[in-house]
Amino acid sequence: MIAPLGVILAGGQATRMGGGDKGLLPLGDSVILDHVIARLRPQVAGLALNANGDATRFDGFDLPVLPDSIEGFPGPLVGVLAGLDWAAEQGAESIVTVAADTPFFPADLVAVLQGRAKGMTHPLVLAATPRGEGEKTKSMSRSGLIRHPTFGLWPVALRDDLRAALNDGLRKVVIWTEKHDGREAVFEGDNDPFFNVNTPEDLEQARAFLEGKA
């Protein structure tokens, strides 16, 4: 199976962290983004970063920086579109996206997403985790799973359809994926495999987790 290209989504505004780039926050001997790159790079055929503003702040990572093509921070789907347009230029058929603030996502993310996409004309799969007791989220699926819309496998063939939907005002990832019969790949574990750093408290938790693994 051909490895997809990887796109790290860092286009958000990090309002709960006081703004700035969550991926550049210190974690261990490096920053969060270093951990994300180290996890994704072995799983994909090439890497790029979706981010807005001055791209030179990411010079040290030696990655292409892809800005959103639609202004106003309309959500992660715009970052997905930027990744798909870049992948089309590279002649790739698909991308896998991850979030820049999620340092411990599964090391087999791509393999599991691709396995779930078998038989699909256009591979479109979101990562999901089992719902905790009493837990509710905006990204709950009909099956009760919690979907993680920034972690997915996306087909280059649907990029113009996505562009048209975004220009029509679409912002919710799952509305678009369900329209195209997108699937879910379930990841289980004692710890949340998609734990992300949204607050200063989350960052402390990430540091404690990293120290516990050492």
Side-chain angles (χ1 to χ4, degrees), residues 6-7 15 27 35 49 57 69 73 80 87 91 106 110-112 122-123 125 140 153 165 174 179 185 214:
V7 177
T15 52
L27 180 61
H35 294 271
L49 181 68
R57 69 192 191 277
S69 58
F73 301 102
V80 172
V110 173
V112 174
H122 300 306
V125 184
M140 190 79 71
L153 173 66
V174 296
K179 172 189 169 187

Side-chain angles (χ1 to χ4, degrees), residues 7-8 13 19 21-22 26 36 46 77-78 81 98 106 111-112 123 129 138 140 143 145 162 165 181 187:
V7 177
I8 300 168
Q13 294 175 288
D21 297 288
K22 288 188 287 183
V36 174
L77 274 177
V78 180
L81 178 60
V98 304
V112 174
T129 48
K138 293 178 182 177
M140 190 79 71
S143 59
L145 296 168
L162 177 56
D181 299 318
F187 294 83

